[in-house]
Amino acid sequence: MTEIPWTWLTIRASGITAWGLLTAVVLWGILLRTRLLGRLASPMRLLDLHRWLGATALAFLLIHVILLLVDPAVKFTVAEILIPGLAPWEPLAVALGTIALWLLIPVSFIGRLRPRLGKVGNTWFKRSHLIAYAAWPFATAHYVLA
């Protein structure tokens, strides 16, 4: 039996972890927005966890993407990772992951800039969250197909 490269295992592990964390981010965001838990969890605790999960999900996503660039089995270029449809391996599955990545970027940047943007920042932040919700189905399809 041939040995499986560490990159192959780590790419999958970091991708699955990023997807799991993204799922948790969405669920915590819904719990925060709906206040479904009532007094069981304060909004500030939910918000802190939501932010931490989001940052951690992005960190694992970054690991996932970087490892794709160094994997010896499938030689991905930066363009093949960042432009949907260019990937040499499973183009549809990778394109869905790329779209999910691009959908997560606005909420990440606007979230960091929000305090400096005042009222306009709040409006853009709410809109970027709607875009981020769309990332989860794309990421899920990427996970299932890849």
Side-chain angles (χ1 to χ4, degrees), residues 1-94:
M1 184 169 159
T2 62
E3 198 172 308
I4 298 173
W6 69 270
T7 52
W8 189 91
L9 294 170
T10 313
I11 287 166
R12 274 124 195 100
S14 60
I16 291 168
T17 304
W19 177 82
L21 288 165
L22 178 60
T23 301
V25 169
V26 171
L27 292 174
W28 257 256
I30 291 168
L31 290 173
L32 179 63
R33 182 77 172 127
T34 62
R35 299 180 191 238
L36 193 62
L37 294 179
R39 296 180 189 263
L40 292 175
S42 73
M44 286 310 297
R45 289 185 119 185
L46 285 173
L47 180 60
D48 287 344
L49 185 56
H50 179 70
R51 288 176 176 164
W52 182 84
L53 288 167
T56 308
L58 289 174
F60 275 93
L61 181 57
L62 183 63
I63 292 166
H64 183 68
V65 169
I66 289 170
L67 287 173
L68 286 170
L69 292 170
V70 300
D71 183 39
V74 180
K75 306 287 186 192
F76 281 100
T77 65
V78 173
E80 290 167 346
I81 291 172
L82 296 179
I83 301 171
L86 290 184
W89 177 84
E90 298 290 341
L92 175 61
V94 176

